[in-house]
Amino acid sequence: MDKVRLALRVNGEPVDLAIAPNRTLLEVLREDLALTGTKHGCELGECGACAVLLDTRPVLSCLVLALECEGADVVTVEGLAQDARLDPLQEAFSDCGATQCGYCTPGFLITAKALLDERPQATRAEIAEALSGNLCRCTGYIQIFEAVEQAARRISDE
Amino acid sequence: MMRAGRFRYHVASTVADAAAALADGGPHARLLAGGTDLIPNMKRRQDTPDLLVSLRHVGELRGISVNGETAIHAGTSLDDIVKSAAIRAVHPALHRAASQIASPLIRNTATLGGNLCVDTRCNYYNQTFEWRKSIGFCLRGPVPDGICWVAPSGRRCWATASSDSAPALIALGARLTLLSREGERDIPLEELYADDGACPLTKRADEIVTSIRIPSRVVRSTYWKLRRRGSIDFPALGVAAAIRPGPHGVIEDARIVLGAVASHPLLVPESQLLIGRTLTDNVIEEFAEGAARHARPLDNTDFAMTWRKSVARSFLSGALRELRGDDPSTFPLLARETALRNGWRFE
Ligand SMILES: Cc1cc2nc3c(=O)[nH]c(=O)nc-3n(C[C@H](O)[C@H](O)[C@H](O)COP(=O)(O)OP(=O)(O)OC[C@H]3O[C@@H](n4cnc5c(N)ncnc54)[C@H](O)[C@@H]3O)c2cc1C
Ligand code: FES
Ligand code: FES
């Protein structure tokens, strides 16, 4: 298959590649850009492990063809920390035990990041709704909701 | 890694450009809107297009206007529809259907046009290529002699119509505009659907859904969805109901539609019989019993089919009671939970 040129920004850095049209954003992030923080789960849109921000909206990178991201701004979990400082969500996930095996965590962080950017005062019901496309087999979700609430408080205190 | 087969990729800049690319591309060209149905289907080799025409940069396909008549461009994301205060106020059935499609992550990319054209589903078909190969595939191919595993003696495909927005929009009396290189035509939404699981749409492959229009008549409407989990899952049953009450609660118009119980969204013919009547308990129960007879769920989706049929009756009755103004907390358990779930989320 003929490769097609693709230019986008990933975590603020310009990226220029040549790829086959059938490759998803998930594959390109993990395999070409070695950004393996974004997880490869079901590949069919059912688990949320592959969520990334595409022009500030959280989307499933396993369902987005990489070529659809021409000119776009993509943020992965690697892009959340600012210099050496973790994002308040990352700190809160660690403090609240919102991570066990950790496979779902990058997807939750990205989805929660988009929620708090849009609604810093999100209620528990809004948090549950926003995260309802992310599956976690370990935590039982409560710690995740608590972590998002704690991060929201930290952000508003800053 | 499951990966789609090979295809060429064209980024359309305008609707006219997309129509030309589709017409030139022939029968194996497909539109790519959000890709949330098409990409999984391509990964499983249920669909093997050789050209994808991307609508992502076609700005003219996005937007909602509620100004008397409601017009929604086909490329509008489901998330934009869910967040539209006007849609929520004027067309609750559409708001509720859209807000229960897939998950919030999917609704950020998924479009309304893609939802109306979403492929039919079946437990024997929505499987990986290797899975389907192990049972000798099915009537839908790719081998020519496959059988339908749901109804092996027949020669038709019974895959289930699985769009949530289609029943809601049909109940609301929506029409849609189709555009191709040959020109434009306008049809009632129910005419988009053929009762054939393998070939569910009546439109030509080169026609693009450009807009969906809902008339401004004042109606009360709702949508009830049955699925295993409160998120992500496709409907195992959908009931959309829209009524126009006149003076003294006498019904002037009624359109009740069943989803996920046939290969097309099913506009219940007895809806007409509600016109001129008021929604008394007897009228509701009689209607629900008759309308549920049209629901012939097969063993090709989630839950036991006999149970789904019984839920159809209970949802039909619950939806009409809700439109009458009953308090959902008095409904039987499943109906109560369904009604409250609609409300809990967004109102
Ligand atoms: C995990 C998961 C859960 C899901 N749950 C649900 C659910 O609960 N309810 C539900 O209804 N759907 C569900 N879906 C299916 C899908 O996400 C939605 O139907 C979505 O709205 C499809 O829109 P899209 O823009 O992504 O379509 P695409 O995948 O881009 O397209 C779907 C089909 O429509 C055609 N098409 C797209 N736009 C147009 C147009 N303008 N004119 C003509 N043809 C067009 C495409 O060529 C393709 O054949 C689910 C999907 C996944 C992966
Ligand atoms: S890997 Fe994308 S949703 Fe599961
Ligand atoms: S921490 Fe293991 S899946 Fe969520």
Side-chain angles (χ1 to χ4, degrees):
Chain A
M1 205 170 350
D2 285 345
K3 291 190 173 176
V4 181
R5 196 144 161 216
L6 165 69
L8 72 166
R9 290 175 81 81
V10 178
N11 299 331
E13 302 272 333
V15 173
D16 203 329
L17 308 144
I19 56 155
N22 63 353
R23 300 189 67 220
T24 60
L25 177 60
L26 174 65
E27 290 175 68
V28 168
L29 289 172
R30 290 181 54 89
E31 294 166 10
D32 298 49
L33 303 178
L35 291 169
T36 53
T38 304
K39 295 300 176 231
H40 169 185
C42 65
E43 301 181 56
L44 293 170
E46 298 178 8
C47 75
C50 65
V52 300
L53 299 179
L54 177 60
D55 292 331
T56 74
R57 279 182 155 188
V59 303
L60 298 173
S61 62
C62 70
L63 297 187
V64 177
L65 293 179
L67 289 182
E68 292 276 280
C69 304
E70 173 68 32
D73 242 307
V74 173
V75 174
T76 68
V77 71
E78 288 91 344
L80 291 187
Q82 298 299 322
D83 301 321
R85 198 175 158 229
L86 290 179
D87 187 272
L89 273 162
Q90 291 171 305
E91 282 176 357
F93 267 59
S94 150
D95 294 348
C96 298
T99 286
Q100 287 182 29
C101 80
Y103 206 78
C104 67
T105 309
F108 272 101
L109 287 169
I110 286 288
T111 314
K113 168 85 179 147
L115 172 70
L116 294 187
D117 284 349
E118 198 184 317
R119 293 178 187 228
Q121 314 284 341
T123 62
R124 174 70 68 104
E126 286 166 346
I127 295 170
E129 165 62 17
L131 298 181
S132 64
N134 296 80
L135 298 188
C136 175
R137 294 291 92 179
C138 305
T139 62
Y141 301 102
I142 302 299
Q143 296 94 320
I144 294 177
F145 299 157
E146 286 168 355
V148 177
E149 286 165 349
Q150 188 179 107
R153 282 194 299 273
R154 281 189 198 168
I155 295 167
S156 76
D157 289 348
E158 268 170 19
Chain B
M1 182 75 77
M2 248 187 290
R3 192 179 278 170
R6 290 158 169 258
F7 54 85
R8 287 171 299 121
Y9 173 79
H10 174 78
V11 184
S13 48
T14 59
V15 181
D17 175 27
L22 267 189
D24 292 339
H28 300 293
R30 297 281 179 281
L31 289 173
L32 174 67
T36 62
D37 188 49
L38 188 59
I39 300 294
N41 292 347
M42 287 171 65
K43 287 187 179 186
R44 292 185 292 242
R45 299 295 192 277
Q46 288 165 242
D47 201 358
T48 50
D50 57 20
L51 172 68
L52 292 192
V53 177
S54 167
L55 296 176
R56 182 162 300 241
H57 296 286
V58 184
E60 58 188 306
L61 274 182
R62 273 186 285 278
I64 302 174
S65 72
V66 182
N67 188 356
E69 178 185 82
T70 299
I72 307 175
H73 293 289
T76 306
S77 78
L78 296 176
D79 184 59
D80 286 346
I81 292 172
V82 173
K83 290 191 175 140
S84 159
I87 297 278
R88 178 162 144 183
V90 186
H91 307 299
L94 176 60
H95 172 77
R96 289 174 180 192
S99 61
Q100 296 185 77
I101 292 171
S103 68
L105 289 165
I106 289 179
R107 294 196 293 270
N108 281 336
T109 24
T111 65
L112 183 61
N115 192 248
L116 295 177
C117 299
V118 71
D119 201 2
T120 50
R121 297 179 64 80
C122 173
N123 286 346
Y124 295 94
Y125 187 59
N126 292 96
Q127 302 289 352
T128 60
F129 183 83
E130 288 71 24
W131 191 102
R132 285 181 289 132
K133 188 174 168 198
S134 74
I135 60 162
F137 297 104
C138 74
L139 201 91
R140 286 185 89 167
V143 296
D145 53 352
I147 59 162
C148 171
W149 290 96
V150 178
S153 54
R155 285 305 302 163
R156 64 157 285 183
C157 164
W158 292 94
T160 304
S162 299
S163 165
D164 282 299
S165 71
L169 284 164
I170 291 172
L172 292 168
R175 300 182 66 88
L176 87 183
T177 307
L178 295 166
L179 179 140
S180 70
R181 200 153 59 181
E182 268 81 76
E184 247 180 12
R185 64 189 180 107
D186 177 275
I187 58 168
L189 177 56
E190 55 270 32
E191 289 179 13
L192 179 65
Y193 302 101
D195 187 10
D196 179 353
C199 191
L201 301 182
T202 57
K203 75 172 189 67
R204 297 196 316 269
D206 66 337
E207 285 182 306
I208 303 175
V209 178
T210 54
S211 73
I212 294 96
R213 277 158 300 101
I214 314 173
S216 63
R217 295 167 308 166
V218 181
V219 291
R220 286 194 205 150
S221 68
T222 189
Y223 179 72
W224 286 40
K225 172 171 179 170
L226 176 70
R227 57 175 161 180
R228 189 170 290 267
R229 297 171 290 184
S231 182
I232 306 176
D233 293 331
F234 277 89
L237 167 71
V239 172
I243 57 167
R244 190 169 76 231
H248 313 295
V250 176
I251 294 175
E252 294 179 344
D253 196 9
R255 288 166 70 90
I256 321 293
V257 184
L258 293 167
V261 292
S263 296
H264 64 137
L266 201 155
L267 177 57
V268 176
E270 287 86 349
S271 304
Q272 292 291 313
L273 302 179
L274 290 172
I275 297 172
R277 307 183 77 179
T278 48
L279 289 178
T280 61
D281 287 356
N282 279 345
V283 168
I284 289 176
E285 289 318 315
E286 194 188 311
F287 174 80
E289 188 184 344
R293 283 203 204 105
H294 295 283
R296 298 212 183 83
L298 291 162
D299 202 6
N300 61 356
T301 173
D302 201 1
F303 299 121
M305 55 184 177
T306 46
W307 185 72
R308 277 165 64 214
K309 192 168 165 81
S310 73
V311 178
R313 182 178 170 171
S314 131
F315 273 26
L316 281 157
S317 145
L320 288 180
R321 282 169 197 273
E322 183 198 333
L323 294 187
R324 181 172 74 175
D326 285 16
D327 174 6
S329 65
T330 63
F331 293 175
L333 181 65
L334 180 65
R336 181 169 76 228
E337 293 222 319
T338 306
L340 294 179
R341 182 147 69 213
N342 280 332
W344 165 74
R345 284 175 174 229
F346 305 101
E347 275 138 48

